[in-house]
Amino acid sequence: MEQAPPDPERQLQPAPLEPLGSPDAGLGAAVGKEAEGAGEESSGVDTMTHNNFWLKKIEISVSEAEKRTGRNAMNMQETYTAYLIETRSVEHTDGQSVLTDSLWRRYSEFELLRSYLLVYYPHIVVPPLPEKRAEFVWHKLSADNMDPDFVERRRIGLENFLLRIASHPILCRDKIFYLFLTQVFFFYLADSRLKALNATFRVKNPDKRFTDLKHYSDELQSVISHLLRVRARVADRLYGVYKVHGNYGRVFSEWSAIEKEMGDGLQSAGHHMDVYASSIDDILEDEEHYADQLKEYLFYAEALRAVCRKHELMQYDLEMAAQDLASKKQQCEELVTGTVRTFSLKGMTTKLFGQETPEQREARIKVLEEQINEGEQQLKSKNLEGREFVKNAWADIERFKEQKNRDLKEALISYAVMQISMCKKGIQVWTNAKECFSKM
Amino acid sequence: MDMNSFSPMMPTSPLSMINQIKFEDESDLKDLFITVDEPESHVTTIETFITYRIITKTSRGEFDSSEFEVRRRYQDFLWLKGKLEEAHPTLIIPPLPEKFIVKGMVERFNDDFIETRRKALHKFLNRIADHPTLTFNEDFKIFLTAQAWELSSHKKQGPGLLSRMGQTVRAVASSMRGVKNRPEEFMEMNNFIELFSQKINLIDKISQRIYKEEREYFDEMKEYGPIHILWSASEEDLVDTLKDVASCIDRCCKATEKRMSGLSEALLPVVHEYVLYSEMLMGVMKRRDQIQAELDSKVEALTYKKADTDLLPEEIGKLEDKVECANNALKADWERWKQNMQNDIKLAFTDMAEENIHYYEQCLATWESFLTSQTNLHLEEASEDKP
């Protein structure tokens, strides 16, 4: 079994950003305050690398959700939901799974993990988290984050998030991901440093492919939002249609009391109307899962944009460096030849306060030549970085496209299956009701 | 005496009346066919009103011809109903559609309103034609056959407005008394009518509400399909799947429209007619009670020697006959009405169930064929990938 290859991604890290928890650092830095068992755990990390943990089959599940109360950063009481993450390793020989790790995490910790991945793997389309707050609700669903249905769907979404990472060829090897699953005291990161790069800047020569990708992600986001909104409205109306039929049940039952011949038929028909009315709850519950599948791709659009932004940043950085280099070269040339074409403060002051000495000029030329040299080296490495980024990013985007096409097709098919099930239930209930009516 | 000229003064044995109620055979014996159609607007300086064309086809001897075509307005229908109630106070006269719809009708003459009314008027006349007694009513015949001017002059012959008002006042006063001595079977009937009225009103409201909800569902569904087409524009690999989903949704949308119209054609008018019938029935009970009250007051007068008692026994005799007649007429008609009601309700709800079954079957077929095409595609792709 080969060793885990040195992470190529780390070479692409933008210079200004400091890695906040360097993956290979001893756990003392990465895990933070908890010193207990640190020595033991660091050997665990090394062992993990050597054993190439990920080549063993593991099963990850978010199996439970629990309401907790605790104190937040401002020492105030708050209620939140904690989720149990269980990791099992599957033995090759007998296929049975053994529980290796289990710990509880809350949503904000998942957010930290994702933020870290966004910074460290800028060219990867990082899987999204399920929604933080319930959006696209239709009236029955509570917009309350503590609502059991919402919590359940979020649990599934969080499990899906972890499974997506575990099945990604590059992300699954990340040590911080491993720590997230196994170490209770997760590394402590300052939120602000991990926020998405929001800088606006202009790139002179944008790569058309990334521009197209950005447009695509905008379209994807807008069309899925629209679809989810209308679906919620349709669900609301459908709920109304089914539930009103339930009123027949009560009235038929009361009416049957005064009817001799019609009584039985009315009564049993009324029962079927009740069945019809209550069947909508399960139907719409199932549809929520479909909506969640679409929502995942809604949020993926944001992840795509993050990759494009990263590319833009690199491109911008490159262009600035090239521009800087060009201007330095020009300055140097002017000093050497004695012509002044570009404006410089030094040139101005020279004119006002007198020429500099030849020694001074020589010194300046020497400094500039050094800077130009350095600049050329930097530009070369930036270009290399850029090309590597584009290559890797595009590879992940192709992978993402395949995944998206498969998933969305599957989702649409599952929607059809749901509709079929709903129709079959409808036929059955109304056939029963018709029989009752005809016996009246 | 001529059996055909039914008048309330004629004592008839209940048995012979019941024998008349062979409604299963009525359709075979049917000799009077009426249609109401072609609503037309008429504008005069004073008012605007609608007339409806009424075509009657008959083989009955007492009619001068075998086919008649006349135009009548709502007022004329009201007149006919009044005359029938007057002539047969304890028969269950079919209800007329309402004068105005209470809920927010701005335009009295909008198309839906006119069409609903036309259908109800058609029903009204046919119910009269199917009624064993009412079908031979003279005013009914005149309504169907007389030209406009003939009808106006005939209308003027009835008891004057003032005398009719007098009747109403007396009726209200004496109806209370009639309730006290109401025979057991009519007490039961009254209970039924009260409960039935409650229930049918609720069912009417529920059914209207269902229609409204289905309409709103339809409106939202119309927007749902096209979004998938929009989406297909940015997805090269999912174009076909998305377009297919869109067309499935559109077909389900059409199916729901059909279901809605089925509801408004079959269930809603029937339920509403029985709401109006329940009001009618209460009127009939009151009139029966009033006739009984007349008798009771005379009996009371005789017992307590209130007025001139010489003529009383003869009057009482006549009134006793009148009460017996009225009661028998109502009892027989009641059975007939109940049977009709059961049939009509049963049919209306069975229709509604049928509409829903058909709707779900259509949607099922649509989605199943989508699923089949997707799996076929998948199999095709899989076989293409094989070396």
Side-chain angles (χ1 to χ4, degrees):
Chain A
M1 301 269 169
E2 76 260 7
Q3 295 252 330
D7 288 352
E9 305 81 56
R10 286 183 51 237
Q11 291 171 2
L12 295 171
Q13 265 155 32
L17 276 174
E18 284 251 90
L20 289 143
S22 159
D24 271 358
L27 270 157
V31 176
K33 295 171 187 171
E34 197 56 27
E36 192 182 277
E40 205 183 316
E41 283 157 345
S42 73
S43 66
V45 176
D46 292 340
T47 318
M48 192 269 315
T49 321
H50 288 306
N51 286 351
N52 215 329
F53 184 81
W54 302 115
L55 293 183
K56 272 205 190 128
K57 261 196 176 173
I58 60 157
E59 280 172 13
I60 306 172
S61 63
V62 177
S63 50
E64 277 171 51
E66 220 174 68
K67 217 172 179 171
R68 299 268 177 92
T69 41
R71 292 206 174 273
N72 66 7
M74 287 174 284
N75 209 35
M76 287 164 65
Q77 274 271 3
E78 58 168 2
T79 322
Y80 62 91
T81 312
Y83 300 87
L84 179 64
I85 305 172
E86 291 181 316
T87 317
R88 289 179 159 74
S89 83
V90 184
E91 298 303 313
H92 290 304
T93 43
D94 55 7
Q96 283 194 335
S97 68
V98 172
L99 184 68
T100 52
D101 288 283
S102 83
L103 41 68
W104 292 86
R105 293 235 186 264
R106 52 185 296 186
Y107 187 85
S108 51
E109 294 176 84
F110 283 83
E111 280 185 306
L112 280 178
L113 173 65
R114 185 160 190 271
S115 303
Y116 158 79
L117 291 173
L118 279 172
V119 168
Y120 272 80
Y121 302 93
H123 61 284
I124 302 257
V125 184
V126 179
L129 283 169
E131 50 193 3
K132 192 168 181 125
R133 263 162 266 290
E135 271 181 68
F136 302 111
V137 290
W138 52 283
H139 83 279
K140 189 218 163 198
L141 274 190
S142 174
D144 169 25
N145 282 6
M146 291 291 148
D147 175 65
D149 287 334
F150 177 75
V151 167
E152 174 58 19
R153 285 177 22 244
R154 194 194 244 190
R155 180 193 68 74
I156 294 169
L158 291 173
E159 187 177 280
N160 194 45
F161 168 71
L162 294 177
L163 292 173
R164 288 254 191 233
I165 297 173
S167 59
H168 191 285
I170 296 169
L171 295 179
C172 70
R173 296 168 189 273
D174 186 272
K175 288 89 179 167
I176 297 294
F177 176 52
Y178 169 75
L179 293 177
F180 181 86
L181 294 174
T182 59
Q183 302 301 335
V184 173
F185 294 98
F186 194 30
F187 62 102
Y188 220 76
L189 300 169
D191 249 301
S192 55
R193 289 216 254 171
L194 290 182
K195 283 297 184 233
L197 313 164
N198 283 325
T200 46
F201 38 79
R202 292 224 180 276
V203 170
K204 291 206 185 104
N205 298 309
D207 185 325
K208 186 172 185 299
R209 287 177 304 171
F210 284 93
T211 318
D212 287 345
L213 186 68
K214 198 151 66 132
H215 290 154
Y216 168 75
S217 72
D218 287 338
E219 278 166 25
L220 188 71
Q221 179 163 352
S222 124
V223 85
I224 294 184
S225 316
H226 191 192
L227 199 145
L228 287 169
R229 260 197 307 275
V230 177
R231 190 211 72 87
R233 287 205 302 260
V234 168
D236 189 26
R237 290 294 160 214
L238 191 65
Y239 183 79
V241 171
Y242 272 73
K243 287 297 179 192
V244 181
H245 279 87
N247 291 331
Y248 274 145
R250 187 176 44 89
V251 181
F252 281 176
S253 171
E254 289 167 2
W255 186 1
S256 70
I258 53 172
E259 290 287 349
K260 289 193 208 88
E261 293 115 14
M262 282 212 303
D264 290 334
L266 270 177
Q267 179 90 307
S268 44
H271 162 74
H272 292 297
M273 291 295 98
D274 286 333
V275 169
Y276 181 66
S278 59
S279 68
I280 191 66
D281 295 312
D282 285 342
I283 290 168
L284 288 177
E285 179 71 42
D286 287 342
E287 259 198 41
E288 278 312 308
H289 292 294
Y290 167 70
D292 284 340
Q293 285 174 296
L294 294 184
K295 270 181 216 171
E296 194 191 16
Y297 279 90
L298 178 69
F299 303 140
Y300 255 128
E302 181 54 45
L304 282 176
R305 269 205 294 281
V307 175
C308 294
R309 262 204 304 276
K310 179 62 201 158
H311 169 77
E312 270 184 351
L313 186 69
M314 292 188 83
Q315 186 73 4
Y316 182 73
D317 195 38
L318 190 75
E319 286 176 1
M320 287 296 106
Q323 209 180 328
D324 189 52
L325 184 67
S327 106
K328 282 203 164 69
K329 281 187 174 167
Q330 184 142 47
Q331 270 184 43
C332 198
E333 198 202 310
E334 286 170 8
L335 278 178
V336 166
T337 61
T339 54
V340 182
R341 263 172 292 154
T342 54
F343 174 83
S344 75
L345 195 57
K346 193 75 189 166
M348 221 49 239
T349 53
T350 312
K351 281 208 152 167
L352 291 170
F353 301 111
Q355 290 253 341
E356 55 188 351
T357 63
E359 293 83 20
Q360 285 174 322
R361 207 181 60 174
E362 274 306 316
R364 275 216 293 145
I365 290 174
K366 193 144 193 204
V367 166
L368 271 174
E369 276 176 349
E370 269 174 40
Q371 285 179 341
I372 287 169
N373 234 353
E374 229 179 275
E376 274 177 343
Q377 296 284 49
Q378 271 195 8
L379 195 64
K380 215 159 129 185
S381 80
K382 276 198 209 292
N383 258 315
L384 197 74
E385 254 184 73
R387 278 200 292 274
E388 272 299 300
F389 177 90
V390 169
K391 188 178 90 179
N392 292 327
W394 218 254
D396 200 52
I397 285 161
E398 287 303 318
R399 182 206 61 82
F400 168 77
K401 273 192 189 157
E402 305 264 308
Q403 178 197 291
K404 168 198 59 117
N405 287 337
R406 270 197 316 269
D407 289 346
L408 288 177
K409 193 160 189 185
E410 204 186 289
L412 290 167
I413 287 175
S414 80
Y415 183 73
V417 170
M418 274 183 248
Q419 297 307 302
I420 287 172
S421 153
M422 177 173 87
C423 290
K424 284 188 173 159
K425 278 189 208 170
I427 290 173
Q428 187 177 50
V429 163
W430 283 104
T431 308
N432 291 339
K434 182 179 168 193
E435 216 184 290
C436 295
F437 286 135
S438 61
K439 287 203 188 118
M440 287 202 316
Chain B
M1 291 189 191
D2 189 358
M3 281 298 283
N4 282 342
S5 60
F6 256 102
S7 114
M9 295 319 234
M10 192 96 85
T12 338
S13 78
L15 208 58
S16 68
M17 277 207 69
I18 290 168
N19 284 340
Q20 298 248 341
I21 305 165
K22 292 188 227 161
F23 39 85
E24 276 96 34
D25 297 339
E26 264 173 27
S27 48
D28 297 339
L29 301 171
K30 198 162 168 169
D31 55 2
L32 189 64
F33 297 87
I34 306 172
T35 54
V36 177
D37 60 12
E38 278 192 23
E40 239 173 52
S41 186
H42 298 256
V43 186
T44 68
T45 45
I46 318 164
E47 54 175 352
T48 313
F49 58 92
I50 305 264
T51 61
Y52 302 85
R53 180 176 75 160
I54 301 174
I55 297 182
T56 311
K57 294 196 173 92
T58 180
S59 56
R60 285 190 197 166
E62 60 270 27
F63 283 78
D64 297 331
S65 159
S66 61
E67 219 176 290
F68 295 89
E69 184 178 316
V70 297
R71 285 211 152 258
R72 298 282 179 252
R73 57 185 290 191
Y74 184 79
Q75 262 179 27
D76 300 328
F77 285 84
L78 272 176
W79 168 84
L80 175 61
K81 176 153 171 269
K83 295 300 282 181
L84 291 173
E85 281 174 347
E86 214 183 291
H88 310 279
T90 57
L91 285 188
I92 301 169
I93 314 293
L96 269 180
E98 290 110 324
K99 218 167 156 66
F100 305 107
I101 307 295
V102 182
K103 274 193 232 166
M105 276 289 298
V106 181
E107 186 59 47
R108 193 151 70 101
F109 299 139
N110 88 30
D111 289 339
D112 282 339
F113 175 73
I114 293 173
E115 179 57 17
T116 313
R117 187 178 257 199
R118 183 198 66 75
K119 281 196 237 175
L121 293 174
H122 175 97
K123 201 81 193 274
F124 171 74
L125 291 178
N126 277 284
R127 285 221 190 259
I128 298 173
D130 292 340
H131 192 290
T133 310
L134 298 176
T135 191
F136 299 110
N137 180 282
E138 190 60 31
D139 291 313
F140 182 49
K141 174 159 165 272
I142 290 172
F143 179 92
L144 291 174
T145 60
Q147 288 309 303
W149 59 269
E150 286 174 323
L151 184 64
S152 315
S153 74
H154 177 80
K155 277 191 192 179
K156 293 194 177 94
Q157 288 167 26
L161 182 65
L162 286 172
S163 78
R164 265 184 279 145
M165 276 178 66
Q167 274 180 359
T168 319
V169 171
R170 265 180 280 138
V172 170
S174 58
S175 68
M176 291 313 292
R177 244 186 261 150
V179 179
K180 272 194 293 178
N181 296 332
R182 201 193 272 154
E184 184 58 39
E185 56 195 330
F186 293 111
M187 291 300 274
E188 274 177 35
M189 198 185 287
N190 193 62
N191 284 339
F192 182 92
I193 290 169
E194 272 176 18
L195 279 164
F196 174 79
S197 170
Q198 265 177 36
K199 301 311 158 198
I200 199 71
N201 268 287
L202 281 171
I203 290 181
D204 183 52
K205 285 199 181 66
I206 294 168
S207 309
Q208 303 273 5
R209 180 75 191 282
I210 288 178
Y211 181 80
K212 176 171 165 290
E213 294 286 341
E214 282 184 5
R215 154 133 264 137
E216 289 179 341
Y217 173 69
F218 170 69
D219 287 338
E220 295 296 347
M221 279 292 270
K222 275 193 289 192
E223 216 189 302
Y224 195 32
I227 299 175
H228 294 79
I229 305 269
L230 188 68
W231 191 358
S232 72
S234 41
E235 299 286 344
E236 311 162 319
D237 299 302
L238 295 172
V239 173
D240 289 330
T241 310
L242 285 169
K243 280 195 172 153
D244 287 344
V245 169
S247 90
C248 282
I249 293 175
D250 285 341
R251 258 178 270 155
C252 290
C253 203
K254 284 199 178 66
T256 213
E257 193 176 19
K258 185 167 179 300
R259 172 173 69 160
M260 250 166 49
S261 78
L263 194 74
S264 86
E265 237 135 81
L267 186 72
L268 297 183
V270 170
V271 171
H272 198 68
E273 194 194 13
Y274 278 94
V275 166
L276 297 172
Y277 251 129
S278 71
E279 282 165 30
M280 279 295 315
L281 288 170
M282 299 208 251
V284 170
M285 278 310 289
K286 275 210 182 75
R287 284 196 290 274
R288 191 219 70 86
D289 290 342
Q290 181 204 332
I291 292 172
Q292 170 141 6
E294 271 182 60
L295 172 64
D296 292 345
S297 72
K298 294 286 180 199
V299 169
E300 213 181 283
L302 186 67
T303 318
Y304 298 113
K305 295 193 167 42
K306 279 191 185 158
D308 181 9
T309 55
D310 292 344
L311 299 164
L312 275 179
E314 199 193 323
E315 278 182 37
I316 289 176
K318 283 205 187 117
L319 283 173
E320 278 172 346
D321 285 343
K322 188 176 174 187
V323 166
E324 200 192 323
C325 234
N327 285 350
N328 291 337
L330 177 55
K331 261 195 290 193
D333 214 23
W334 172 247
E335 289 307 317
R336 180 177 176 274
W337 178 86
K338 271 198 88 177
Q339 192 62 44
N340 274 345
M341 183 270 282
Q342 276 171 10
N343 287 343
D344 289 344
I345 296 286
K346 175 173 151 175
L347 194 67
F349 277 105
T350 310
D351 264 352
M352 174 176 87
E354 189 61 56
E355 282 290 335
N356 275 290
I357 292 171
H358 188 64
Y359 162 73
Y360 281 112
E361 279 176 347
Q362 270 194 302
C363 292
L364 180 68
T366 304
W367 288 108
E368 275 183 338
S369 84
F370 166 78
L371 210 62
T372 320
S373 74
Q374 289 301 306
T375 30
N376 285 346
L377 224 67
H378 181 73
L379 291 171
E380 273 173 29
E381 285 167 2
S383 64
E384 275 169 19
D385 291 338
K386 283 194 188 123

